[in-house]
């Protein structure tokens, strides 16, 4: 069974940076595009960034220019570098296969996530 383990969250002041990391238990990274998602309290989970196996990236407008997604297929990891953080970035962050793959029926269980809190 595939499992995702997210790490790197924490409390940061507005304007600060964090780097999230996700490790998968199996080598699905070599097959599917991967995505970072977030879910703020009272809101639906949304994908904020994705990356194909070849390294093509895509970002939600709300994070474009501030977040950078990267992957290491040999290590089965996908990272999210978050800069210029805003209070509205506060959320639980998760990784999984990207939303297009999930819509196509590739359903993988969510990990526990990592909490990012942006506050002064």
């Amino acid at each position: 069974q595939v499992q995702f383990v997210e790490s790197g969250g924490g409390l940061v002041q507005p304007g600060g940076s964090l780097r999230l990391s996700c490790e998968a238990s199996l080598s699905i990274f070599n097959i599917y595009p991967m995505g970072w998602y977030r879910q703020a309290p009272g809101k639906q989970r949304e994908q904020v960034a994705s990356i194909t196996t070849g390294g093509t990236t895509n970002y939600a407008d709300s994070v474009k220019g501030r977040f950078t997604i990267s992957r290491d297929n040999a290590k089965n990891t996908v990272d999210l570098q978050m800069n210029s953080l805003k209070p509205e970035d506060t959320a639980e962050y998760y990784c999984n296969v990207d939303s297009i793959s999930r819509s196509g029926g590739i359903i993988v269980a969510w990990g526990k996530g990592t909490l990012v809190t942006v506050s002064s």
Side-chain angles (χ1 to χ4, degrees), residues 39-84:
Q39 186 168 21
K43 295 188 177 181
Q44 288 189 332
R45 185 157 20 209
E46 61 171 347
Q47 180 174 278
V48 296
S50 65
I51 185 168
T52 67
T53 55
T56 300
T57 59
N58 192 47
Y59 299 93
D61 288 343
S62 58
V63 307
K64 199 170 293 183
R66 300 188 297 121
F67 289 12
T68 302
I69 188 171
S70 59
R71 66 190 292 162
D72 186 331
N73 291 336
K75 296 181 179 179
N76 296 346
T77 60
V78 57
D79 291 352
L80 185 68
Q81 177 67 42
M82 305 187 297
N83 299 327
S84 302

Side-chain angles (χ1 to χ4, degrees), residues 1-115:
Q1 183 177 355
V2 178
Q3 291 182 325
F4 297 108
V5 180
E6 300 92 349
S7 63
L11 174 63
V12 62
Q13 292 186 342
S17 298
L18 281 175
R19 188 176 184 88
L20 307 183
S21 185
C22 171
E23 183 174 359
S25 60
L26 293 176
S27 298
I28 65 169
F29 285 177
N30 293 327
I31 302 173
Y32 299 112
M34 293 296 300
W36 273 98
Y37 301 75
R38 69 185 181 189
Q39 186 168 21
K43 295 188 177 181
Q44 288 189 332
R45 185 157 20 209
E46 61 171 347
Q47 180 174 278
V48 296
S50 65
I51 185 168
T52 67
T53 55
T56 300
T57 59
N58 192 47
Y59 299 93
D61 288 343
S62 58
V63 307
K64 199 170 293 183
R66 300 188 297 121
F67 289 12
T68 302
I69 188 171
S70 59
R71 66 190 292 162
D72 186 331
N73 291 336
K75 296 181 179 179
N76 296 346
T77 60
V78 57
D79 291 352
L80 185 68
Q81 177 67 42
M82 305 187 297
N83 299 327
S84 302
L85 283 162
K86 304 175 180 180
E88 51 263 44
D89 295 319
T90 295
E92 195 80 36
Y93 283 73
Y94 305 85
C95 70
N96 209 303
V97 297
D98 79 323
S99 59
I100 294 176
S101 298
R102 291 183 66 84
S103 297
I106 309 302
I107 303 301
V108 184
W110 296 98
K112 294 182 179 180
T114 186
L115 179 63

